[in-house]
Amino acid sequence: MGPRAGALANPGLILVMWLTAHWSRPQAEGFSQGGLDASRADTWASANTSLLQGFWCQPASQLSQDQLSALIRRMASQQVLLKAWQLSCLANLAARRGLQGDFALHPPDLLLFYNLAQVREADCRAFTRRAAQGDTELLANLPDQRAALQHLALACLGGLPPRLSASDLLLLGVLVCDMDASSIVASDPHVLQNLQRCPRLTPAQQAALNTLLARGRTMLGPPSSWNLEGLQALGPLAAYISPSLWMQVQEAVGLAFFGSMVATYRTGTLSQRDARRFVTSFLEAKAKSLSSRPKRGTGRPCVRGNITAATLQDNLFLLHYDCSQLEFCLGSRVLRANLDPLLQHPLPAECQRVVKAKLAQVYPSGIPEEQLQLITSLVYLYSFTEIGQWNITSRNTVMALLASDVALENQTEAILQKFLDHKGRVTSALLVAIGGSRLCWMSPQQIQAIQPSEFRLAGALDISSCPQSRKNVLYTKAREAFGSTRTTAAYYRLMRPYLGGAPVEELQYLAQANVSMDIHTFTNLNPQVLQNLSVDKVTTLLGQNVGDLQKARSHPAISSWLRSLNRSALGELGLDTDPSSPSGPSGPTRLTTTIPNTIPWAPHLATTSRRPGNEAPTSGSPPTHLGYLPLAVALPSSLLWLLYWGTLGPGGDCSWGTCTMASEHSNVPAPHAGKLGLVDGAGRLPRPLCKPPVHGTWPRPTC
């Protein structure tokens, strides 16, 4: 058996071949096209979006400057959405290759992670305008970088002007989302276009928005002159309009806009959060404008007429039937036959409770499974005991119930348990469908019941939002699934999402392996474990990314660790001697413009309870209506790298772009050696024989 046959026996490649055999032909062809052969300078310029989303810094570090530049430009042209951990290390890699100056051709999201101290004054406005097109939520774990970006923007303006002009707002872009209410109120009316890009507004910013609208100096004019087209042009901002303003809008305009918002919600293009916020405000205005309103509990009969299937098709249904009339006028037979169209309306919480009570009357022994798939918006109302009455036998039911963003911790565990009690199994497809954040709410026993093979096939799941106790359990499960990985590089790639539960021994091992951990992963480590790492270990663990500590020094976990260090240690890290300082010795930028001490930026929002009307942004897997996301769609982008590392064979590990000469029997000990079936009996990961990488051979260096 020759060397080629031996390579085919590699477990990583076997897994890839097994998976591709189960994909449709177009997917398999997309995965296997030779678009990533670095021996050709134009290769990266033609890589498809799926492959680019699987970007991984360590193998990319072997690209030449021209190839890396082509890769980044391709990402920009294809509008590839990368995660924060990918962007942070890519920004550092681009800076080391001298590519930061080409920022005009780079993705806006990438600019958010660049070293702002290297932005030339002549490029200030162009850089800020480009960066302000990005998603600043990606900087959630880098508070100091976000603050430095705000300082840079003000420096470009020569300080905060008394009133932000239209041109100023064009420069600031999404950065306006971090501004305080007084600055928003004092801005040119074009500020509405900036605010439309904000994922959410603080209460103070909402008040500022309503002040602007009430003054009548925006494109809409005074509320009494608003029209349907103007309101629709507000986009998501319409959900923040106060009841007092809705009372001033002409009735015909208000009704037309209400109907259009409900229609948009029913087609799935308006979020449940925004729809419910709008409906609640509008109905409150309607209630105040009426001289009388039927009160719940007065015994008043149905005065609007019985609700029928045709009634529920009307987008103005909620204007005709308030929650008390819903209780009186909705019959059991109509509810049973029309549950889906009823719940397609953005019901206020009070009306949702009415529907839940009626369902209990119609189904005293528990809601039938075919109806369960329709009540996703009501799941948060049910207790563990009530869910215990349900009969859940289908994976589709689980995905429907947990794909909703309103199911909470108690509901997640209970729904999965009912499924498991009926001999259900948590498969990789189910894990991908419900997202990594749902793992946070599974019980430890449910997590342990997941087969390692299914965990492996699920790929990288984002568990950064999990409590520490769950991260610890998930780390153990990940070790069970990935502990026998044959190369350090592949092991780290697979384990990276789960290192938040890693013990100090694991991190010391990874530091020894020179993995160059990205700052996003580092901020998600167990804070107590982090306290046990020395400066030398942290410096080695972060490797080429150690400079990113400056961008995250106010992050709670980082700040706590820095406070434990003396001045000498801080100096070794290149930080100033005051751990509480928001910026380094040289400040956030090289610009000579004086920046005012009082910066008009609003404090960043804290994560809130994910109840209707009060949802936090999802921090797990990207929102998809999972329902029915096939595994073949979820995995190809990441398996590119598995193919690469897998084909190195049992003796290959040019892990980090620099191959180390080693004797045939030289080994690097794996963490927890011998516990989880690592490659050899001694529990060691093989340290391969490697030659120095040959230029132009990526992604298959000579080892």
Side-chain angles (χ1 to χ4, degrees):
M1 180 180 287
R4 183 62 180 165
L8 288 175
N10 183 281
L13 185 55
I14 290 173
L15 175 59
V16 172
M17 294 174 65
W18 183 88
L19 286 170
T20 53
H22 289 75
W23 295 338
S24 65
R25 180 168 297 276
Q27 289 164 328
E29 288 175 353
F31 175 80
S32 61
Q33 55 183 145
L36 299 182
D37 179 3
S39 63
R40 294 173 51 198
D42 62 346
T43 295
W44 289 104
S46 60
N48 63 44
T49 301
S50 178
L51 294 180
L52 291 173
Q53 285 178 327
F55 171 79
W56 186 251
C57 267
Q58 279 73 20
S61 66
Q62 299 184 38
L63 294 174
S64 69
Q65 182 186 51
D66 288 343
Q67 290 168 335
L68 183 62
S69 177
L71 166 64
I72 295 174
R73 295 183 187 197
R74 180 65 173 173
M75 288 176 171
S77 67
Q78 294 295 302
Q79 299 183 348
V80 176
L81 298 179
L82 297 182
K83 306 289 182 59
W85 66 269
Q86 295 171 306
L87 289 163
S88 63
C89 65
L90 177 58
N92 292 334
L93 183 57
R96 289 197 305 276
R97 299 294 174 83
L99 297 176
Q100 183 169 319
D102 298 332
F103 63 84
L105 301 172
H106 294 178
D109 286 347
L110 184 60
L111 272 62
L112 300 175
F113 293 84
Y114 277 146
N115 184 350
L116 302 181
Q118 294 181 7
V119 177
R120 298 183 304 168
E121 186 167 1
D123 294 332
C124 180
R125 297 182 72 89
F127 182 92
T128 301
R129 180 176 297 185
R130 181 75 172 164
Q133 298 173 27
D135 178 9
T136 54
E137 296 297 293
L138 291 165
L139 297 176
N141 285 350
L142 302 180
D144 299 272
Q145 178 74 354
R146 189 162 180 163
L149 188 63
Q150 296 159 357
H151 279 265
L152 175 65
L154 287 185
C156 294
L157 296 175
L160 179 67
R163 180 176 183 269
L164 290 171
S165 66
S167 61
D168 295 336
L169 293 167
L170 186 62
L171 173 76
L172 292 173
V174 74
L175 299 180
V176 169
C177 300
D178 287 338
M179 297 192 71
D180 62 23
S182 60
S183 297
I184 292 173
V185 170
S187 296
D188 181 274
H190 283 85
V191 72
L192 296 182
Q193 297 176 19
N194 298 67
L195 295 176
Q196 285 181 1
R197 298 183 56 195
C198 303
R200 58 202 174 280
L201 300 181
T202 66
Q205 290 173 328
Q206 294 175 37
L209 169 65
N210 280 283
T211 299
L212 275 174
L213 294 173
R215 289 177 177 175
R217 284 183 256 173
T218 68
M219 61 178 183
L220 278 77
S224 60
S225 68
W226 289 358
N227 57 42
L228 177 61
E229 293 74 18
L231 284 168
Q232 290 175 334
L234 281 177
L237 296 182
Y240 295 105
I241 297 177
S242 66
S244 61
L245 291 186
W246 283 124
M247 292 177 67
Q248 301 175 46
V249 177
Q250 297 179 39
E251 182 178 9
V253 173
L255 292 177
F257 185 67
F258 186 95
S260 71
M261 288 287 278
V262 172
T264 303
Y265 173 74
R266 296 176 74 176
T267 60
T269 53
L270 180 66
S271 74
Q272 189 173 104
R273 177 189 63 187
D274 288 342
R276 185 169 286 111
R277 183 190 291 118
F278 161 73
V279 166
T280 300
S281 177
F282 195 95
L283 292 181
E284 182 180 336
K286 176 176 178 289
K288 289 179 179 179
S289 66
L290 295 176
S291 57
S292 63
R293 181 186 182 194
K295 303 295 183 181
R296 187 177 180 183
T298 62
R300 190 167 192 158
C302 173
V303 297
R304 302 291 301 182
N306 290 333
I307 296 172
T308 65
T311 308
L312 293 173
Q313 297 302 319
D314 185 358
N315 289 330
L316 300 182
F317 166 72
L318 289 174
L319 293 179
H320 301 315
Y321 293 87
D322 62 17
C323 298
S324 64
Q325 285 296 289
L326 179 65
E327 181 175 8
F328 287 122
C329 303
L330 180 61
S332 298
R333 182 177 299 176
V334 173
L335 174 63
R336 186 184 295 109
N338 297 277
L339 182 59
D340 187 33
L342 172 62
L343 294 181
Q344 286 181 14
H345 291 274
L347 302 177
E350 181 185 356
C351 293
Q352 288 182 324
R353 286 189 285 271
V354 169
V355 175
K356 181 197 171 191
K358 284 188 167 291
L359 285 172
Q361 296 171 5
V362 174
Y363 303 113
S365 300
I367 302 173
E369 184 163 13
E370 63 271 13
Q371 298 282 60
L372 288 178
Q373 298 187 25
L374 306 177
I375 67 164
T376 56
S377 61
L378 305 181
V379 173
Y380 80 100
L381 294 172
Y382 286 87
S383 68
F384 198 103
T385 302
E386 289 172 320
I387 293 174
Q389 293 183 297
W390 297 352
N391 188 42
I392 302 177
T393 62
S394 166
R395 186 182 68 184
N396 289 340
T397 303
V398 176
M399 290 192 291
L401 292 171
L402 297 187
S404 168
D405 59 0
V406 297
L408 303 177
E409 178 175 359
N410 204 32
Q411 287 85 11
T412 299
E413 181 180 343
I415 289 167
L416 281 171
Q417 194 57 51
K418 289 300 296 183
F419 178 59
L420 295 173
D421 289 346
H422 285 88
K423 298 182 180 180
R425 199 163 56 90
V426 179
T427 64
S428 57
L430 180 58
L431 288 172
V432 171
I434 64 178
S437 61
R438 290 294 177 197
L439 284 170
C440 305
W441 294 342
M442 294 171 66
S443 70
Q445 294 76 20
Q446 290 171 342
I447 294 172
Q448 289 300 332
I450 302 172
Q451 291 297 315
S453 59
E454 299 294 343
F455 205 83
R456 284 193 294 272
L457 289 174
L461 298 171
D462 186 354
I463 64 166
S464 57
S465 62
C466 291
Q468 190 59 54
S469 60
R470 287 296 189 276
K471 287 182 179 180
N472 296 343
V473 175
L474 287 165
Y475 165 79
T476 301
K477 173 56 64 175
R479 280 282 303 147
E480 183 182 355
F482 305 126
S484 59
T485 306
R486 303 195 66 170
T487 67
T488 309
Y491 172 79
Y492 174 64
R493 179 183 61 78
L494 295 168
M495 286 294 296
R496 187 202 60 78
Y498 309 102
L499 293 176
V504 67
E505 295 82 7
E506 172 86 320
L507 301 180
Q508 290 172 341
Y509 161 72
L510 292 174
Q512 180 185 355
N514 298 318
V515 297
S516 289
M517 180 180 287
D518 64 273
I519 191 65
H520 182 82
T521 301
F522 186 77
T523 56
N524 282 303
L525 297 178
N526 186 336
Q528 294 182 346
V529 171
L530 190 56
Q531 292 294 323
N532 294 320
L533 292 179
S534 66
V535 170
D536 287 343
K537 285 295 182 186
V538 168
T539 302
T540 306
L541 182 62
L542 291 173
Q544 59 198 22
N545 300 315
V546 68
D548 286 343
L549 284 172
Q550 180 69 26
K551 302 174 183 177
R553 61 181 305 153
S554 296
H555 186 281
I558 308 300
S559 177
S560 176
W561 179 71
L562 290 176
R563 285 196 299 269
S564 69
L565 305 180
N566 57 34
R567 295 191 175 191
S568 174
L570 288 171
E572 290 180 33
L573 292 170
L575 303 175
D576 55 63
T577 55
D578 179 8
S580 63
S581 172
S583 60
S586 60
T589 71
R590 292 179 179 174
L591 298 168
T592 57
T593 305
T594 300
I595 300 176
N597 291 329
T598 303
I599 306 298
W601 303 110
H604 304 316
L605 295 173
T607 301
T608 55
S609 172
R610 296 172 61 189
R611 286 185 178 276
N614 193 28
E615 292 102 350
T618 303
S619 54
S621 303
T624 38
H625 282 287
L626 304 167
Y628 309 90
L629 181 65
L631 183 60
V633 173
L635 295 180
S637 62
S638 61
L639 283 173
L640 165 71
W641 310 111
L642 182 58
L643 175 62
Y644 164 50
W645 297 119
T647 53
L648 292 181
D653 187 8
C654 297
S655 308
W656 317 114
T658 302
C659 294
T660 304
M661 301 299 293
S663 68
E664 183 176 358
H665 302 291
S666 176
N667 291 289
V668 177
H672 319 297
K675 290 186 178 181
L676 293 171
L678 295 172
V679 174
D680 59 31
R684 294 174 178 270
L685 291 172
R687 186 175 184 180
L689 299 171
C690 290
K691 301 175 184 178
V694 178
H695 176 72
T697 60
W698 194 88
R700 294 200 53 190
T702 303
C703 293

